[in-house]
Amino acid sequence: MPTWLEAGLWGLLGGGALVIGALVAWLTSVPPKAVASVMAFGSGVLISAVAFDLMEEALRTGGLVATACGFLGGAVVYLAANLVLARRGARHRKRSGKQQPSESEQSGSGAAIATGALLDGVPESVVLGLGLLGGGSVSLSVLAAVFISNVPEGLSSTAGWKNSGRSARYVFGVWGGIAVASGLAALLGYLLLGGAPPEVEAVITAVAAGAILTMIADTMIPEAFENTHAWTGLIATVGFLTAFTISLA
């Protein structure tokens, strides 16, 4: 199998976890505390991937300066995009309750929410493609982190979309489109950055890490804390330890 195709399929697999979470939320009534607990677990998993896979790889590849610049740049770019989308109705896109506006309450919120969901998913997919550069293999720990964290993201967001009156066509159209976009992001990450200087690879990896960490703090942990409260830290710690153990395997 061509490596570029393999990169795309890994990205598609990671993005497909969003669809799995969406199906669970659409077909069943998941208790809010269960949704929040899984979200807290996914947050811990992603934090581990950022710390022990993405940042470590960026530092090894391009050095501290490139890594630090990319990391801060990713956080700033994500924050700026998120602020714009929040004003258009996407602030609570990962919330499972009734915080999300319907289209009648805020026109254009559907498009903003879909764009926000895409913003959340693309950075982690790009790094899956980067892992295959130079004859390498996809990082099992990063893939596991993306997949494990995407299930609660799809589950929580879909529960909120359902409560705000979004249709099944909208819900699964968004998640299906993001799954495909995740595959394309991984594929393009491999194709466009093949042969790039190590510093460039490091910056891109660190940009993704900064965007992911900002996304966790801005959207995932608030949803988790709303219903798990004092248990959030412990559950996130278990997720962190799970991903850390996978990275050592």
Coordinates of all heavy atoms in Angstrom, one line a residue, residues 38-94:
V38 N -16.3 10.5 30.4 CA -15.5 10.1 29.2 C -14.8 11.2 28.6 O -13.6 11.1 28.1 CB -16.5 9.4 28.2 CG1 -15.7 9.0 26.9 CG2 -17.2 8.2 28.8
M39 N -15.3 12.4 28.7 CA -14.7 13.6 28.2 C -13.4 13.9 29.0 O -12.4 14.3 28.5 CB -15.6 14.8 28.2 CG -15.0 16.1 27.6 SD -14.8 15.9 25.8 CE -16.5 16.3 25.2
A40 N -13.5 13.8 30.3 CA -12.4 14.0 31.2 C -11.3 13.0 30.9 O -10.1 13.3 30.9 CB -12.8 13.9 32.7
F41 N -11.7 11.7 30.7 CA -10.7 10.7 30.4 C -10.0 11.0 29.1 O -8.8 10.9 29.0 CB -11.4 9.3 30.3 CG -10.5 8.2 30.0 CD1 -9.9 7.5 31.0 CD2 -10.3 7.7 28.7 CE1 -9.1 6.4 30.8 CE2 -9.5 6.7 28.4 CZ -8.9 6.0 29.5
G42 N -10.8 11.4 28.1 CA -10.2 11.8 26.8 C -9.3 13.0 26.9 O -8.2 13.1 26.2
S43 N -9.6 13.9 27.8 CA -8.7 15.1 28.0 C -7.3 14.6 28.5 O -6.3 15.1 28.0 CB -9.3 16.0 29.0 OG -10.5 16.6 28.5
G44 N -7.3 13.7 29.5 CA -6.1 13.2 30.0 C -5.3 12.5 28.9 O -4.0 12.6 28.9
V45 N -6.0 11.7 28.1 CA -5.3 11.0 27.0 C -4.6 11.9 26.1 O -3.4 11.7 25.7 CB -6.3 10.1 26.3 CG1 -5.7 9.6 25.0 CG2 -6.8 8.9 27.2
L46 N -5.3 13.0 25.7 CA -4.7 13.9 24.7 C -3.5 14.7 25.4 O -2.5 15.0 24.7 CB -5.7 14.9 24.2 CG -6.6 14.4 23.1 CD1 -7.6 15.5 22.7 CD2 -5.8 14.1 21.9
I47 N -3.7 15.1 26.6 CA -2.6 15.8 27.3 C -1.3 14.9 27.3 O -0.2 15.4 27.1 CB -3.0 16.2 28.7 CG1 -4.1 17.2 28.7 CG2 -1.8 16.7 29.5 CD1 -4.7 17.5 30.1
S48 N -1.4 13.6 27.6 CA -0.3 12.7 27.5 C 0.3 12.7 26.1 O 1.6 12.7 26.0 CB -0.7 11.3 28.0 OG 0.4 10.4 27.9
A49 N -0.5 12.6 25.1 CA 0.0 12.6 23.7 C 0.8 13.9 23.4 O 1.8 13.8 22.8 CB -1.1 12.4 22.8
V50 N 0.2 15.0 23.8 CA 0.9 16.3 23.6 C 2.3 16.3 24.3 O 3.3 16.7 23.7 CB 0.0 17.5 24.1 CG1 0.8 18.8 24.1 CG2 -1.2 17.6 23.2
A51 N 2.3 15.9 25.5 CA 3.6 16.0 26.3 C 4.6 15.0 25.9 O 5.8 15.3 25.7 CB 3.2 15.8 27.8
F52 N 4.2 13.7 25.7 CA 5.2 12.6 25.5 C 5.4 12.2 24.1 O 6.3 11.4 23.8 CB 4.8 11.4 26.4 CG 4.9 11.7 27.9 CD1 3.8 11.9 28.6 CD2 6.1 11.9 28.5 CE1 3.9 12.2 30.0 CE2 6.2 12.2 29.9 CZ 5.1 12.3 30.6
D53 N 4.6 12.7 23.2 CA 4.7 12.3 21.8 C 5.0 13.5 20.9 O 6.1 13.6 20.3 CB 3.5 11.5 21.3 CG 3.3 10.2 21.9 OD1 4.1 9.3 21.5 OD2 2.5 10.0 22.8
L54 N 4.1 14.4 20.9 CA 4.2 15.5 20.0 C 5.3 16.5 20.3 O 6.2 16.8 19.5 CB 2.9 16.3 19.9 CG 1.6 15.5 19.5 CD1 0.4 16.3 19.3 CD2 1.9 14.7 18.2
M55 N 5.3 17.0 21.6 CA 6.4 17.9 22.0 C 7.7 17.2 22.0 O 8.8 17.9 21.6 CB 6.0 18.5 23.3 CG 4.9 19.5 23.3 SD 5.2 20.9 22.3 CE 6.3 21.8 23.3
E56 N 7.8 16.0 22.5 CA 9.1 15.3 22.5 C 9.6 15.1 21.1 O 10.8 15.3 20.8 CB 8.9 14.0 23.2 CG 10.2 13.2 23.5 CD 9.9 12.0 24.3 OE1 9.9 12.1 25.6 OE2 9.7 10.9 23.7
E57 N 8.7 14.7 20.2 CA 9.2 14.5 18.8 C 9.6 15.8 18.1 O 10.6 15.9 17.4 CB 8.0 13.9 18.0 CG 8.3 13.8 16.5 CD 9.4 12.8 16.2 OE1 9.7 12.0 17.0 OE2 9.9 12.9 15.0
A58 N 8.8 16.9 18.4 CA 9.2 18.2 17.8 C 10.6 18.7 18.3 O 11.4 19.2 17.6 CB 8.1 19.2 18.2
L59 N 10.8 18.5 19.6 CA 12.1 18.9 20.2 C 13.2 18.1 19.7 O 14.3 18.6 19.3 CB 12.0 18.7 21.8 CG 13.3 19.1 22.5 CD1 13.5 20.6 22.4 CD2 13.1 18.7 24.0
R60 N 13.0 16.8 19.5 CA 14.1 15.9 19.0 C 14.4 16.2 17.5 O 15.5 16.2 17.1 CB 13.6 14.4 19.0 CG 14.7 13.4 18.6 CD 14.1 12.0 18.5 NE 13.0 11.9 17.5 CZ 13.3 11.8 16.2 NH1 14.5 11.8 15.8 NH2 12.3 11.7 15.4
T61 N 13.3 16.6 16.8 CA 13.5 16.9 15.3 C 14.1 18.2 15.0 O 15.0 18.4 14.2 CB 12.1 16.8 14.6 OG1 11.6 15.5 14.9 CG2 12.3 17.0 13.1
G62 N 13.6 19.3 15.7 CA 14.0 20.6 15.3 C 14.6 21.5 16.4 O 14.9 22.7 16.1
G63 N 14.6 21.0 17.6 CA 15.2 21.9 18.7 C 14.2 22.7 19.4 O 13.0 22.8 19.1
L64 N 14.7 23.3 20.5 CA 13.8 24.0 21.4 C 13.1 25.3 20.8 O 11.9 25.5 21.0 CB 14.5 24.4 22.7 CG 13.7 25.2 23.7 CD1 12.5 24.3 24.2 CD2 14.6 25.5 24.9
V65 N 13.9 26.0 20.0 CA 13.4 27.3 19.5 C 12.2 27.0 18.6 O 11.2 27.6 18.7 CB 14.5 28.1 18.8 CG1 13.9 29.3 18.1 CG2 15.6 28.5 19.8
A66 N 12.4 26.1 17.6 CA 11.4 25.8 16.6 C 10.2 25.2 17.3 O 9.0 25.6 17.0 CB 11.9 24.8 15.6
T67 N 10.4 24.4 18.3 CA 9.3 23.8 19.1 C 8.5 24.8 19.8 O 7.3 24.8 19.8 CB 9.9 22.7 20.0 OG1 10.5 21.7 19.3 CG2 8.7 22.0 20.8
A68 N 9.2 25.7 20.5 CA 8.5 26.7 21.3 C 7.7 27.6 20.5 O 6.6 28.0 20.8 CB 9.5 27.5 22.2
C69 N 8.3 28.1 19.4 CA 7.6 29.0 18.4 C 6.4 28.3 17.9 O 5.3 28.9 17.8 CB 8.5 29.4 17.3 SG 9.9 30.5 17.8
G70 N 6.5 27.1 17.4 CA 5.3 26.4 16.9 C 4.3 26.2 17.9 O 3.1 26.3 17.6
F71 N 4.7 25.8 19.1 CA 3.7 25.5 20.2 C 2.9 26.7 20.6 O 1.6 26.7 20.6 CB 4.5 25.0 21.4 CG 3.6 24.5 22.5 CD1 2.9 23.3 22.3 CD2 3.6 25.1 23.8 CE1 2.1 22.8 23.4 CE2 2.8 24.6 24.8 CZ 2.0 23.5 24.6
L72 N 3.6 27.9 20.8 CA 2.8 29.1 21.1 C 2.0 29.6 19.9 O 0.9 30.1 20.1 CB 3.8 30.2 21.5 CG 4.6 30.0 22.8 CD1 5.6 31.0 23.1 CD2 3.5 30.0 24.0
G73 N 2.6 29.4 18.7 CA 1.8 29.8 17.5 C 0.6 29.0 17.3 O -0.5 29.6 17.0
G74 N 0.6 27.7 17.6 CA -0.6 26.9 17.5 C -1.6 27.3 18.4 O -2.8 27.4 18.1
A75 N -1.2 27.6 19.7 CA -2.2 28.1 20.7 C -2.8 29.4 20.3 O -4.1 29.6 20.5 CB -1.4 28.2 22.0
V76 N -2.0 30.3 19.8 CA -2.6 31.7 19.4 C -3.5 31.5 18.3 O -4.6 32.1 18.3 CB -1.4 32.6 19.1 CG1 -2.0 33.9 18.5 CG2 -0.6 32.9 20.4
V77 N -3.1 30.8 17.2 CA -4.0 30.6 16.1 C -5.3 30.0 16.4 O -6.4 30.4 16.0 CB -3.3 29.8 15.0 CG1 -4.2 29.5 13.8 CG2 -2.1 30.7 14.4
Y78 N -5.2 28.9 17.2 CA -6.5 28.2 17.7 C -7.4 29.2 18.5 O -8.6 29.3 18.2 CB -6.2 27.0 18.5 CG -7.4 26.3 18.9 CD1 -8.0 25.3 18.2 CD2 -8.1 26.6 20.1 CE1 -9.1 24.6 18.5 CE2 -9.3 26.0 20.5 CZ -9.8 25.0 19.7 OH -10.9 24.4 20.1
L79 N -6.8 29.9 19.4 CA -7.5 30.8 20.2 C -8.2 31.9 19.4 O -9.4 32.2 19.6 CB -6.6 31.5 21.2 CG -7.2 32.7 22.1 CD1 -8.4 32.1 22.9 CD2 -6.2 33.3 22.9
A80 N -7.5 32.5 18.4 CA -8.1 33.5 17.6 C -9.3 32.9 16.7 O -10.3 33.6 16.7 CB -7.0 34.1 16.6
A81 N -9.1 31.8 16.2 CA -10.1 31.2 15.4 C -11.3 30.8 16.3 O -12.5 31.0 15.9 CB -9.6 29.9 14.6
N82 N -11.0 30.3 17.4 CA -12.1 29.9 18.4 C -12.9 31.1 18.8 O -14.2 31.0 19.0 CB -11.5 29.2 19.6 CG -12.5 28.3 20.3 OD1 -13.4 27.7 19.7 ND2 -12.5 28.4 21.6
L83 N -12.3 32.3 19.1 CA -13.0 33.5 19.5 C -13.9 34.0 18.4 O -15.1 34.4 18.7 CB -12.0 34.6 19.8 CG -11.2 34.4 21.1 CD1 -10.1 35.5 21.2 CD2 -12.1 34.4 22.3
V84 N -13.5 33.9 17.1 CA -14.3 34.3 16.0 C -15.6 33.4 15.9 O -16.7 33.8 15.8 CB -13.5 34.3 14.7 CG1 -14.5 34.5 13.5 CG2 -12.5 35.3 14.7
L85 N -15.3 32.1 16.0 CA -16.4 31.1 15.9 C -17.4 31.2 17.1 O -18.6 31.0 17.0 CB -15.9 29.7 15.8 CG -15.1 29.4 14.5 CD1 -14.4 28.1 14.6 CD2 -16.1 29.4 13.3
A86 N -16.8 31.5 18.3 CA -17.7 31.6 19.5 C -18.7 32.7 19.3 O -19.9 32.6 19.8 CB -16.8 31.9 20.7
R87 N -18.3 33.8 18.7 CA -19.3 34.9 18.5 C -20.4 34.6 17.5 O -21.4 35.2 17.4 CB -18.5 36.2 17.9 CG -17.5 36.7 18.9 CD -17.0 38.1 18.4 NE -15.9 38.6 19.3 CZ -14.6 38.5 18.9 NH1 -14.3 37.9 17.8 NH2 -13.7 39.0 19.7
R88 N -20.1 33.5 16.7 CA -21.1 33.1 15.7 C -21.9 31.9 16.2 O -22.6 31.3 15.4 CB -20.4 32.8 14.4 CG -20.0 34.1 13.7 CD -18.9 33.8 12.6 NE -18.7 35.0 11.8 CZ -17.9 36.0 12.2 NH1 -17.4 36.0 13.4 NH2 -17.7 37.0 11.4
G89 N -21.8 31.5 17.4 CA -22.6 30.5 18.0 C -22.0 29.1 18.3 O -22.6 28.2 18.7
A90 N -20.6 29.0 18.2 CA -20.0 27.8 18.3 C -19.2 27.6 19.7 O -18.5 26.7 19.9 CB -18.9 27.5 17.2
R91 N -19.5 28.6 20.6 CA -18.8 28.6 21.9 C -19.0 27.2 22.6 O -18.0 26.7 23.2 CB -19.3 29.7 22.8 CG -18.6 29.8 24.1 CD -19.2 30.9 25.0 NE -19.1 32.2 24.3 CZ -18.0 33.0 24.3 NH1 -16.9 32.5 24.9 NH2 -18.0 34.1 23.6
H92 N -20.2 26.7 22.6 CA -20.5 25.5 23.4 C -20.6 24.3 22.5 O -21.4 23.4 22.9 CB -21.8 25.7 24.2 CG -21.7 26.9 25.1 ND1 -20.8 27.0 26.2 CD2 -22.4 28.1 25.2 CE1 -20.9 28.1 26.8 NE2 -21.9 28.8 26.3
R93 N -19.9 24.2 21.5 CA -20.1 23.1 20.5 C -19.8 21.7 21.1 O -20.3 20.7 20.5 CB -19.2 23.3 19.3 CG -17.7 23.4 19.5 CD -17.0 23.7 18.2 NE -15.5 23.8 18.4 CZ -15.0 25.0 18.8 NH1 -15.7 26.1 19.0 NH2 -13.6 25.1 18.9
K94 N -19.1 21.6 22.2 CA -18.8 20.3 22.8 C -19.7 20.0 24.0 O -19.6 19.0 24.6 CB -17.3 20.2 23.2 CG -16.4 19.9 22.0 CD -15.0 19.5 22.5 CE -14.1 19.0 21.4 NZ -13.8 20.1 20.4

